[in-house]
Amino acid sequence: MTDFQNTWNKQQKPGITDKINETFNPQGALKPKIQNGIKKLQTQISKLDSMIIKLNERDSKLFKRIVEATQLHDVNTSRILSKELVEVRKTTKILGNARIALEQIELRLTTYHNLGDTISTIMPTIGLMNNLKSSLVKFMPNADQEINQMTKMLGGFMTDSFSSDGIFSMDETTNYESEKILQEATLVA
């Protein structure tokens, strides 16, 4: 009887083929997955922030101890503490770079999220324009050409938005603009 209960209540675990299929053909809406990913990234960024703050505090404490040891002419202690300080600063730099990378990913996901909202708003418009075209041709023969142009323009926008060299490609203008922003920030600082 227990075998029947175990078989009856046993939840089916996905096999290797199910996992592969899920990887290549994900189920469900994409928007909630992106939102979930953004939330997870924000959580990790805040964790990194707290770790960086703790390391910066440790950095300042170690530096003060090095200054005190140097003032007391304790060479061994100051050398040991300076080596520790170097490691703390290396770790802080690594965590800072990781934080920047996560922020870039979050920014891209947020952009895709916003772009998806825009596209989902535009898609019904294209369908509506195609339906409207057939009824307007009876009354306004030239409307067909204008609606075709508008449909092509919106379709072109969607194609350009999702092309591989569309939004996030790095060309000379993008690099120039980012350099210009960095120069402005340097002037402000």
Side-chain angles (χ1 to χ4, degrees):
M1 190 67 155
T2 55
D3 288 337
F4 175 74
Q5 287 178 336
N6 289 339
T7 309
W8 184 260
N9 291 328
K10 184 178 181 181
Q11 292 185 0
Q12 186 176 7
K13 295 180 182 177
I16 188 79
T17 55
D18 294 331
K19 290 179 183 179
I20 291 172
N21 285 337
E22 178 64 27
T23 302
F24 290 112
N25 299 320
Q27 303 296 320
L30 190 56
K31 183 177 180 176
K33 290 180 181 179
I34 291 176
Q35 289 173 331
N36 189 25
I38 291 171
K39 287 179 185 176
K40 287 181 180 180
L41 284 171
Q42 289 171 343
T43 303
Q44 293 303 317
I45 290 170
S46 64
K47 285 180 183 179
L48 283 174
D49 284 339
S50 65
M51 291 171 71
I52 290 171
I53 289 170
K54 288 178 184 176
L55 284 172
N56 286 333
E57 291 171 358
R58 180 145 172 82
D59 182 309
S60 64
K61 287 179 184 178
L62 282 172
F63 187 74
K64 286 179 185 176
R65 287 183 61 196
I66 292 170
V67 170
E68 290 171 2
T70 305
Q71 288 173 346
L72 296 173
H73 303 290
D74 188 358
V75 178
N76 290 332
T77 304
S78 61
R79 282 185 183 159
I80 292 170
L81 291 175
S82 66
K83 289 178 183 178
E84 179 67 23
L85 183 59
V86 167
E87 292 302 318
V88 168
R89 288 183 178 174
K90 282 182 188 176
T91 306
T92 304
K93 186 176 180 180
I94 290 169
L95 291 179
N97 290 339
R99 184 186 186 288
I100 290 170
L102 288 178
E103 279 183 333
Q104 288 175 338
I105 294 168
E106 178 196 6
L107 180 63
R108 289 203 178 180
L109 281 177
T110 304
T111 303
Y112 276 127
H113 181 267
N114 294 339
L115 181 65
D117 288 343
T118 303
I119 299 285
S120 67
T121 304
I122 290 176
M123 284 295 284
T125 306
I126 293 173
L128 180 65
M129 289 174 76
N130 286 331
N131 292 337
L132 193 70
K133 178 174 59 173
S134 61
S135 60
L136 276 179
V137 169
K138 297 174 188 173
F139 304 107
M140 300 170 62
N142 294 337
D144 183 37
Q145 293 173 349
E146 291 294 322
I147 291 176
N148 277 338
Q149 288 177 350
M150 289 190 297
T151 304
K152 286 180 183 176
M153 180 188 69
L154 289 174
F157 167 74
M158 302 234 322
T159 304
D160 291 344
S161 297
F162 288 110
S163 69
S164 62
D165 57 341
I167 297 173
F168 297 115
S169 63
M170 295 295 286
D171 57 359
E172 281 88 42
T173 34
T174 307
N175 287 333
Y176 173 74
E177 290 172 5
S178 63
E179 287 296 323
K180 190 176 176 183
I181 290 170
L182 288 174
Q183 289 174 355
E184 289 177 24
T186 305
L187 290 175
V188 171

